[in-house]
Amino acid sequence: MRSTLLQTVSVFLLLLLGLCSSVHAIEVSDLKFTEISKRQGLSDPAVLDIVEDNKGFIWLATSNGLNRYSGYEVKQYHPSDIDANSIPSGFIQTLFLDSDGILWLGTNNGLAKYQPDTDNFEVFNKDNSIIKSNSITAISESKAGKILFADEKFLYQFDKSQNNIISAKQVFDERTFVKVIMDEANRTWIGSNEFGAKILDKETGELSSLNKVNPWGITLDSAALHDIKIINGNYWLATKEGINIVNARGKTILVKNGADLGFDGNLNSLNITVDENDIWIGTASGLFVLSNAAAKEIKSDTDFSVLHLNSDNYESTGLPAASIMQVTVDRTGVLWAGTFRQGAFRYHPEYASVHYQAVYNSERQTEDNFATVWALSESSSDELILVTQELGLAKSDKESGKVTYLEHASGHGGRSNYWDLAIDSKGHYWVASSDGLIAYAENEGIITQKAHLFQGDIIAVSYTHLRAHETLRYL
């Protein structure tokens, strides 16, 4: 499977200026997001959650289906009336990968556990378990390895060894949307989007509201707690008003609202993610970056270097002004952002100083005339050769950026998808394709097939003179 680092949108590399430093404050010019949308196979633009599994697949929950992204393509999962092991609903509200690598889905029609051996799901709902409401909105894991999940009022425990839900405890009196569950050694946090947060004492079973006097000494005067992250021993709480930072003793040491972060209005914070020393905050009003904030000692007067990604800098960053429903970092260092109704976007800091330009087949720069660039290589004549999925091989002028697509001597380009490219010492273009390994010779923009090896998908190719010597004798 190809790494999710691959640039699968319609862009190509023009100039590498150098890698960005992780110690300087992130600037708009450092950021370039690329898009995963319906055009790349995403089932719906409302991306509500994102996780990476142990095999490197990126799973995206949407309001119309579950999506698994391999780095090449998107596989969609939808409910089926004739398949009891399909996902129970297309509205996927939350995703969770447990300590055993099992993927769990919270939908508006029950809890689902992914079964990779059969590529389907085991479903738990009101009909076959003690679940009170089928709207499952938050999933987590206890210190003892039990799955914790919540519906509109109740907190449940699922014992994986028994494959069964073993307990249910009512947390809220009225229906709400539970946003976060976080388990600690002696307590469990439960945050909602309407009735604030509560803490469950695991020894006594007592529930305490954080907007009232409680045994934990924590005060949170907010109707919403959407996320919790522990950063350097402090609790970072994403609330309807902004960010509250609470120390290990329960004392609030810093509160940052919209105005404190340069935003005019309530900063409805939805999620918090740490990437090295930078803290990314997804909000209903775009994405905020607190540069090097994780390396700071938090005091009552601590200030942050803040960057707000919104419509003002969209043309530079490629990230639209949208509600950022989830932010996560995968194992390769790619930062993923799921947006409401705008699709998913990704960014890698190693590409911070890389400039991009759209690849089109003509001067008519329209969405239906794009090309997905999978690979590029420099020829001996200092030309940049591009491999595109839809339109074949192309040359790029390094000075002007103009792209010229290469024509086949046969008069047609075939129907293969191209994935990778290597150029040998004789100047032949070796292309990894959906129809095997193909070698081309090029003369003044016309390419002629010289060899066709293997059948089926070849996803990568590299060249060394010694290893290729015997193969190249007949070219």
Side-chain angles (χ1 to χ4, degrees):
M1 182 180 65
R2 176 161 259 174
S3 166
T4 53
L5 280 171
L6 289 170
Q7 301 299 307
T8 60
V9 294
S10 307
V11 295
F12 70 89
L13 182 62
L14 285 182
L15 181 63
L16 182 62
L17 299 179
L19 300 181
C20 67
S21 167
S22 60
V23 298
H24 82 286
I26 294 178
E27 300 176 358
V28 169
S29 59
D30 292 330
L31 299 173
K32 187 64 182 182
F33 285 81
T34 57
E35 180 183 8
I36 304 293
S37 66
K38 280 192 170 183
R39 194 169 67 185
Q40 286 78 36
L42 195 66
S43 64
D44 191 79
V47 180
L48 307 180
D49 206 353
I50 305 174
V51 299
E52 181 188 24
D53 69 17
N54 291 345
K55 294 183 179 179
F57 287 110
I58 300 296
W59 295 82
L60 303 103
T62 78
S63 61
N64 184 30
L66 177 67
N67 299 258
R68 187 183 72 184
Y69 180 59
S70 67
Y72 284 113
E73 59 187 1
V74 176
K75 178 175 182 178
Q76 298 182 11
Y77 297 81
H78 294 278
S80 170
D81 292 336
I82 61 174
D83 183 2
N85 292 113
S86 65
I87 59 173
S89 168
F91 197 93
I92 315 297
Q93 300 180 130
T94 187
L95 299 173
F96 180 73
L97 191 76
D98 70 22
S99 58
D100 293 320
I102 299 171
L103 178 69
W104 297 82
L105 285 63
T107 80
N108 66 353
N109 195 30
L111 177 74
K113 179 175 71 170
Y114 179 60
Q115 302 176 125
D117 291 342
T118 51
D119 194 26
N120 59 18
F121 301 84
E122 184 175 8
V123 177
F124 305 88
N125 54 33
K126 289 196 301 182
D127 297 332
N128 62 11
S129 72
I130 62 174
I131 291 176
K132 311 297 183 183
S133 167
N134 280 337
S135 182
I136 308 302
T137 60
I139 309 173
S140 185
E141 187 170 9
S142 73
K143 296 295 183 182
K146 293 181 173 59
I147 298 302
L148 305 177
F149 67 97
D151 62 17
E152 297 167 312
K153 291 183 180 180
F154 285 79
L155 176 68
Y156 302 88
Q157 284 192 84
F158 184 99
D159 190 316
K160 289 186 285 185
S161 64
Q162 300 180 29
N163 199 44
N164 194 26
I165 302 168
I166 59 173
S167 69
K169 182 176 181 63
Q170 186 167 345
V171 178
F172 296 99
D173 296 328
E174 299 180 57
R175 290 182 176 180
T176 187
F177 199 103
V178 175
K179 293 291 294 181
V180 62
I181 304 167
M182 189 185 76
D183 193 63
E184 296 185 280
N186 58 346
R187 62 189 182 186
T188 304
W189 298 64
I190 308 104
S192 77
N193 71 341
E194 290 183 89
F195 302 116
K198 294 187 178 183
I199 289 181
L200 172 66
D201 188 312
K202 294 168 68 172
E203 183 176 347
T204 66
E206 180 183 354
L207 276 168
S208 302
S209 294
L210 297 190
N211 59 1
K212 300 177 181 178
V213 175
N214 59 78
W216 311 102
I218 301 171
T219 300
L220 183 66
D221 292 324
S222 178
L225 176 61
H226 296 130
D227 198 10
I228 309 169
K229 290 292 187 298
I230 300 177
I231 305 173
N232 295 332
N234 295 320
Y235 297 82
W236 287 59
L237 312 179
T239 74
K240 190 175 182 179
E241 294 75 32
I243 296 293
N244 286 32
I245 304 176
V246 177
N247 66 19
R249 298 185 300 277
K251 179 182 178 182
T252 298
I253 50 179
L254 187 64
V255 176
K256 292 292 185 181
N257 56 30
D260 297 322
L261 299 181
F263 179 72
D264 185 16
N266 268 351
L267 189 65
N268 190 7
S269 301
L270 304 177
N271 49 81
I272 303 169
T273 295
V274 183
D275 184 17
E276 296 184 348
N277 286 328
D278 301 318
I279 297 177
W280 301 73
I281 303 172
T283 78
S285 303
L287 185 60
F288 286 75
V289 191
L290 310 186
S291 294
N292 300 308
K296 287 180 174 286
E297 181 183 359
I298 305 300
K299 300 179 180 179
S300 60
D301 59 351
T302 298
D303 284 324
F304 301 113
S305 174
V306 181
L307 178 61
H308 181 198
L309 307 186
N310 55 21
S311 58
D312 293 339
N313 44 49
Y314 163 68
E315 291 207 0
S316 175
T317 66
L319 186 69
S323 294
I324 307 297
M325 306 304 293
Q326 184 58 271
V327 179
T328 189
V329 180
D330 70 25
R331 68 185 67 189
T332 66
V334 173
L335 183 137
W336 292 79
T339 72
F340 189 64
R341 296 181 179 174
Q342 297 286 339
F345 294 80
R346 58 187 182 173
Y347 153 78
H348 195 287
E350 289 187 3
Y351 301 136
S353 296
V354 178
H355 291 199
Y356 297 89
Q357 175 176 311
V359 176
Y360 295 90
N361 194 30
S362 69
E363 296 300 322
R364 184 172 62 88
Q365 300 187 4
T366 61
E367 284 194 1
D368 62 350
N369 199 32
F370 74 96
T372 304
V373 176
W374 284 100
L376 51 87
S377 186
E378 191 174 46
S379 70
S380 58
S381 57
D382 203 33
E383 294 174 304
L384 199 61
I385 309 300
L386 312 176
V387 168
T388 76
Q389 181 175 342
E390 297 82 5
L391 301 174
L393 294 173
K395 284 184 178 181
S396 168
D397 185 288
K398 289 185 178 180
E399 296 298 325
S400 67
K402 182 180 179 180
V403 175
T404 304
Y405 285 86
L406 305 182
E407 298 182 12
H408 286 250
S410 60
H412 61 84
R415 297 181 179 178
S416 299
N417 290 323
Y418 290 172
W419 305 121
D420 201 5
L421 170 69
I423 302 176
D424 66 32
S425 60
K426 295 185 178 182
H428 297 110
Y429 305 151
W430 289 80
V431 179
S433 80
S434 59
D435 191 32
L437 183 63
I438 306 171
Y440 293 106
E442 187 245 333
N443 182 29
E444 297 184 352
I446 305 296
I447 55 174
T448 304
Q449 181 175 306
K450 304 296 290 183
H452 189 170
L453 307 178
F454 314 114
Q455 295 294 325
D457 277 310
I458 302 293
I459 62 175
V461 58
S462 63
Y463 169 79
T464 62
H465 176 74
L466 291 177
R467 290 181 180 178
H469 177 72
E470 292 300 317
T471 301
L472 294 175
R473 285 189 303 172
Y474 61 87
L475 295 181

